């Protein structure tokens, strides 16, 4: 049983109680993914699994045999940040930074969900493709809490990464 994390294969733990979050931060040594509440409430642990965002604190690692996981480390590096990472830097989309990896992973997948035409609770026209408005972003990012309250700049960063006017 194995899982692929940022393109590298890792063995899954023998203990079925280990969460994906603890596997990432422990055995895999990828501490970019943060543990906030450990109860699916804050979004700090958000990673991409096969391109979709999930709360890794609520996922048991052994249930992801064969899956591909992307963490914040897989979206870019300090010298070569990805598009969303650069936008967060440009717009000061953080203060303490604790929620930021989860915000960036979540926003990355969220834009793909909009491109795929998935509606949200804020989508008024269910026939057309959702527009990337501030309201859509706030609704779709509502699972990612920021104790520092950097929300205004987070929305501006996401709009820039999406190619919209910030
Ligand atoms: S640590 Fe997973 S949602 Fe808070
Ligand atoms: S930047 Fe501090 S919790 Fe979001």
């Amino acid at each position: 049983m194995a899982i692929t994390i940022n393109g590298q294969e890792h063995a899954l733990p023998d203990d079925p109680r280990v969460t994906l979050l603890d596997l990432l931060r422990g055995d895999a040594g990828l501490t970019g993914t943060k543990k906030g509440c450990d109860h699916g409430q804050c979004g700090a642990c958000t990673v991409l699994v096969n391109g979709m965002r999930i709360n890794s604190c609520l996922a048991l690692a052994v249930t992801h045999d064969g899956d591909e996981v992307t963490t914040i480390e897989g979206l870019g590096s300090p010298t070569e940040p990805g598009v969303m990472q650069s936008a967060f830097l440009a717009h000061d989309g953080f203060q303490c930074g604790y929620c930021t990896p989860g915000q960036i992973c979540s926003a990355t997948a969220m834009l793909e969900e909009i491109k795929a035409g998935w509606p949200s609770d804020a989508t008024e026209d269910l026939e057309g493709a959702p527009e990337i408005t501030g309201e859509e972003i706030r609704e779709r990012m509502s699972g990612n809490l920021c104790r520092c309250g950097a929300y205004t700049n987070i929305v501006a960063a996401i709009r820039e990464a999406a190619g919209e006017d910030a």
Side-chain angles (χ1 to χ4, degrees):
M1 297 217 304
I3 190 169
T4 302
I5 306 170
N6 300 334
Q8 289 201 325
E9 199 167 281
H10 285 262
L12 285 169
D14 293 331
D15 188 339
R17 297 168 299 177
V18 175
T19 64
L20 179 58
L21 174 59
D22 286 342
L23 173 72
L24 293 172
R25 291 183 53 83
D27 280 2
L30 296 167
T31 53
T33 306
K34 298 294 184 266
K35 182 181 285 191
C37 63
D38 210 19
H39 283 83
Q41 303 288 310
C42 72
C45 64
T46 306
V47 297
L48 311 184
V49 175
N50 302 329
M52 296 184 65
R53 52 183 172 163
I54 68 163
N55 289 336
S56 60
C57 70
L58 294 183
L60 293 172
V62 291
T63 65
H64 289 283
D65 185 24
D67 284 350
E68 299 208 4
V69 178
T70 304
T71 68
I72 189 68
E73 293 91 343
L75 292 179
S77 68
T79 50
E80 288 186 56
V83 172
M84 191 64 75
Q85 291 168 327
S86 295
F88 268 67
L89 284 168
H91 287 274
D92 272 337
F94 49 84
Q95 289 182 39
C96 76
Y98 199 82
C99 73
T100 312
Q103 300 276 3
I104 290 175
C105 285
S106 190
T108 299
M110 182 271 291
L111 291 183
E112 293 303 313
E113 291 162 14
I114 292 180
K115 270 193 217 157
W118 295 6
S120 79
D121 196 47
T123 309
E124 287 185 12
D125 178 7
L126 296 182
E127 300 294 325
E131 286 179 41
I132 304 176
T133 62
E135 196 181 349
E136 278 285 355
I137 292 171
R138 283 189 288 277
E139 167 61 26
R140 291 170 188 264
M141 293 295 293
S142 60
N144 288 84
L145 306 183
C146 175
R147 272 73 164 186
C148 299
Y151 295 113
T152 302
N153 292 2
I154 289 170
V155 171
I158 295 171
R159 293 192 74 159
E160 181 185 298
E164 302 285 314
D165 289 338

